[in-house]
Amino acid sequence: MKNKLKHNIILIGYMGSGKTSVGEKLAERLTYQFRDTDQMIEKKAGDTINRLFAVQGEEYFRNLETDLLKELMPSLEHTVLSTGGGIPLREQNRKILIDLGYVVFLKANKQTTLRRLKGDSTRPLLQGDDLEKKVERMLEIRTPIYEKTAHKIISTDGRSIFEIVELIMESYLKRIY
Ligand code: S3P
């Protein structure tokens, strides 16, 4: 691992892969802080992601993500950071993520993802018709990007939050001690 001294776990993966729910539990187990980039952006901007996309556009939101990562760079320690699903798409962001800590990709197949995202209204990229096609197309493009960014890939299909947390703990503690 490039940055042995930074005690952080960075969770990446597609929407609905469980980054937030796993991250909260993982932080509890490690007695680390929990932070979530979407929540931080909403708080800073004083608006929801849906509205930021609708009013300012996706590019604006993506710039907020990059700005936030840059801000976190010098100070993040003993933290589990859950990241918005689009963050690893920018090369600049990928470099920062890898520098921030131990990057874990929570991988979920199409069926699991669709089950978790059905009826969701909080994610602007998934609104409108044919959720299945959208998810399929995006997973195809993004999966290799998530894989090349991560230090560790964890398959979440058919696993409980508890099991996923244990798997991450095991590999992370091996890495830092
Ligand atoms: C996005 C994922 C969302 C949020 C925004 C865009 C994406 O976060 O950042 O809707 O491009 O995958 P989650 O992955 O937490 O749902």
Side-chain angles (χ1 to χ4, degrees), residues 3-148:
N3 214 325
K4 280 210 174 69
L5 293 178
K6 280 191 181 157
H7 290 188
N8 300 309
I9 298 180
I10 317 299
L11 299 179
I12 64 168
Y14 192 69
M15 294 173 266
S17 59
K19 291 164 292 182
T20 304
S21 30
V22 167
E24 280 171 353
K25 285 280 171 256
L26 182 62
E28 238 174 77
R29 282 288 309 271
L30 288 164
T31 57
Y32 278 16
Q33 280 190 75
F34 173 73
R35 314 191 77 176
D36 178 299
T37 59
D38 286 338
Q39 288 170 10
M40 292 171 90
I41 287 173
E42 286 189 332
K43 196 164 168 208
K44 270 178 75 166
D47 217 339
T48 63
I49 288 172
N50 258 336
R51 274 187 51 88
L52 287 170
F53 265 71
V55 178
Q56 316 274 4
E58 179 169 353
E59 188 66 13
Y60 180 85
F61 173 75
R62 298 299 176 200
N63 290 334
L64 293 183
E65 289 184 321
T66 301
D67 291 347
L68 177 65
L69 289 182
K70 285 187 193 155
E71 245 177 77
L72 291 173
M73 251 313 254
S75 61
L76 207 74
E77 265 291 348
H78 298 107
T79 300
V80 176
L81 180 71
S82 160
T83 60
I87 285 192
L89 301 181
R90 283 191 179 178
E91 195 196 347
Q92 187 186 12
N93 294 351
R94 292 199 289 276
K95 287 194 176 130
I96 299 177
L97 293 175
I98 291 164
D99 261 10
L100 280 174
Y102 187 54
V103 181
V104 177
F105 168 30
L106 297 185
K107 191 171 181 176
N109 68 24
K110 191 177 84 178
Q111 285 72 26
T112 308
T113 304
L114 282 170
R115 186 163 31 81
R116 292 189 185 144
L117 292 173
K118 228 170 111 191
D120 178 89
S121 61
T122 64
R123 291 165 169 108
L125 295 179
L126 301 179
Q127 302 316 301
D129 295 338
D130 218 341
L131 179 65
E132 185 168 351
K133 270 260 144 50
K134 280 184 189 134
V135 167
E136 195 174 275
R137 214 173 294 134
M138 287 169 91
L139 280 179
E140 216 173 277
I141 295 169
R142 289 181 176 197
T143 301
I145 299 174
Y146 295 140
E147 285 178 344
K148 74 174 177 189

